[in-house]
Amino acid sequence: VADHLLHLTGSLLAVAFLTSFGSSMLYGYNLAVVNSPAVYIKDFYNKTVLSRNGTGLSGETLTLMYSLTVSVFAIGGLLGSLIVGMLVTRFGRKGTVVNTTVLVFIAGSLMGFSRICGSPEMVIFGRFITGIHSGISLSVVPMYLGEIAPKNLRGFLGLVPSIFIGTGVFAAQVLGLHELLGKEEHWPLFLSVVVVPTFIQLMLLPWFPESPRYLLIEKHNVHATITALKWYRAKCNIQAEIEEMQEEQRSLSSVQTLSVWKLLLDDTVRWQVLSVVVINIGMQLSGIDAIWFYTNDIFENAGIPAPEIQYTTAGTGVIEIIAGLIGCFTIEKLGRRPLMIGGFAMMGICSAGITLALILQAHLSFMRYISVCCVVGIIAGFCIGPAGVPFLITAELFKQSHRPAAYIVGGSLNWLSNFTVGFVFPFLQMSAGSYCYLVFATICLSVAVYVYIVIPETKNKTFMEISRMFSKKEAVLETQGLIHVDQLKLKKMNGYGGVEHTSLEFDSSSSVP
């Protein structure tokens, strides 16, 4: 690891920490924050409606209102992920992170003052706005970090956000303990404490430069690019890096950022698009949300005494952070594929294990502890690979003009699947009982197989090399090696829409190991 971390400059680390701390962490926090104060918030809804209409809410209506409070976050996230392409092209990568902090302040004040104003709508609307912010952040932070990182640190920096997502979940679980903000009178503060990390981010992040790739390829500002690269690189060859970006710029068929529709119709990148679709849907349908929302119930079934459950849940938060750190520090050594395949396989095996344990626990008492171990295994497997790598891979599989559209596709599918799981899982659990985890097991294992077959290893490669690996794959899959090599070269050049002689020079140089 030492030789990798030589290229790690203070500015790179600072930006990775600030963007993740002020944006990604909030996503994790908001996922878990609604878990512990549920009773108090429902109570507040009931009292408010009672004082307005003179009659309280029925149990069903209350549950519906609370489900809306929980899931409106995902609707906001979907909206955020759809507008992210427009924002990153208009404001730049860093500009988007900085400008969207205003959403957190609006949402925080809405949720924080909701009780004083006696307004349940403020809580729901506040959740919606935090959702929009999280939808934007979840896409833009990995994009920004992936673009400022040198190629041998892209994986390391790209997984920093996922550690902070784990930290956010953990923070929400710890602050929600009864001794801290888990008391009835504190819930508005508990929901709105997110403004603190964002404020820190807003104070510090504007001092750092924008993504050099954005400045050069989309803004054509060479001077600013050099300044930015001097910030983000140790004394290494800036010239070579600028040349590599310019070569990518020349190879882009259009300088304009592609729309999602064009991306889906572009058959030169169809395997990349399919891969982004599969891993983003797989990441959410792996059942991790179901585990997160329902850890308390699973632990209760396992016979852990009720007062201790909140501490056990917080314990799973520690596992997330540790697993995230393991992933972060091994990704440049092992590569992307082992983390994805291993993570999904582990989740699949543990999901099947939960089903087995739940069926057998009537006969064998020790099976209860097996189910707890499986929950831990699923969470650890998720945080090592599937939690962060999909967003990193989205940055790596595409060139500059396609990247924002790819993030829109990946992000929106991610949020849609997230919403679906949260909505469908309770019904699935009612109808399929303990067999519902077999559905998740199947999905996880299929994704692992897909990654194994289709996605090439992208560690330590430039964006050009990666897109070349895929065009080779296209050619091989289409022709099964029947076409003569010269025709293959020609075909490759046309696929790039680049200038012909540059492609040829590159061909000769890239074939030398």
Side-chain angles (χ1 to χ4, degrees), residues 329-345:
F329 284 103
T330 55
I331 187 161
E332 296 298 354
K333 279 272 177 285
L334 296 174
R336 323 304 190 230
R337 279 165 48 92
L339 292 185
M340 290 280 286
I341 298 164
F344 275 116

Side-chain angles (χ1 to χ4, degrees), residues 191-250:
L191 290 181
S192 57
V193 80
V194 289
V195 298
V196 178
T198 309
F199 182 71
I200 297 173
Q201 182 193 52
L202 185 62
M203 292 292 91
L204 299 173
L205 192 63
W207 303 101
F208 291 92
E210 181 52 84
S211 147
R213 309 186 82 80
Y214 169 79
L215 293 171
L216 183 71
I217 298 177
E218 291 174 47
K219 284 278 177 265
H220 308 292
N221 186 340
V222 182
H223 180 70
T225 309
I226 295 172
T227 320
L229 274 176
K230 279 183 180 152
W231 267 81
Y232 291 132
R233 296 291 177 269
K235 309 275 180 287
C236 65
N237 197 343
I238 291 180
Q239 192 56 38
E241 192 146 357
I242 288 187
E243 277 164 15
E244 185 251 313
M245 287 186 216
Q246 282 172 329
E247 190 236 330
E248 182 181 331
Q249 188 180 7
R250 283 195 296 273

Side-chain angles (χ1 to χ4, degrees), residues 31-32 35 169 173 283-301 309 312-317 319-320 346-355 358 370-383 418 421-426 428-429 434 436-441 444:
L31 271 184
N35 215 336
V169 172
Q173 286 164 343
M283 168 182 171
Q284 291 294 349
L285 296 191
S286 62
I288 186 69
D289 289 330
I291 297 280
W292 257 322
F293 292 145
Y294 301 100
T295 32
N296 294 7
D297 301 352
I298 293 172
F299 289 148
E300 204 174 315
N301 288 341
I309 286 182
T312 323
T313 312
T316 57
I319 297 162
E320 281 152 43
M346 185 168 168
M347 291 177 79
I349 293 163
C350 289
S351 297
I354 285 189
T355 300
L358 291 175
I370 304 258
S371 66
V372 173
C373 294
C374 286
V375 170
V376 170
I378 289 179
I379 292 176
F382 181 72
C383 292
N418 183 332
V421 171
F423 216 73
V424 172
F425 180 72
L428 183 69
Q429 207 176 17
S434 50
C436 64
Y437 293 100
L438 284 179
V439 180
F440 298 138
C444 291

Side-chain angles (χ1 to χ4, degrees), residues 43-54 117-121:
D43 193 40
F44 163 68
Y45 287 176
N46 204 8
K47 279 186 186 144
T48 321
V49 175
L50 190 62
S51 65
R52 279 185 202 173
N53 307 348
C117 304
S119 162
E121 296 81 4

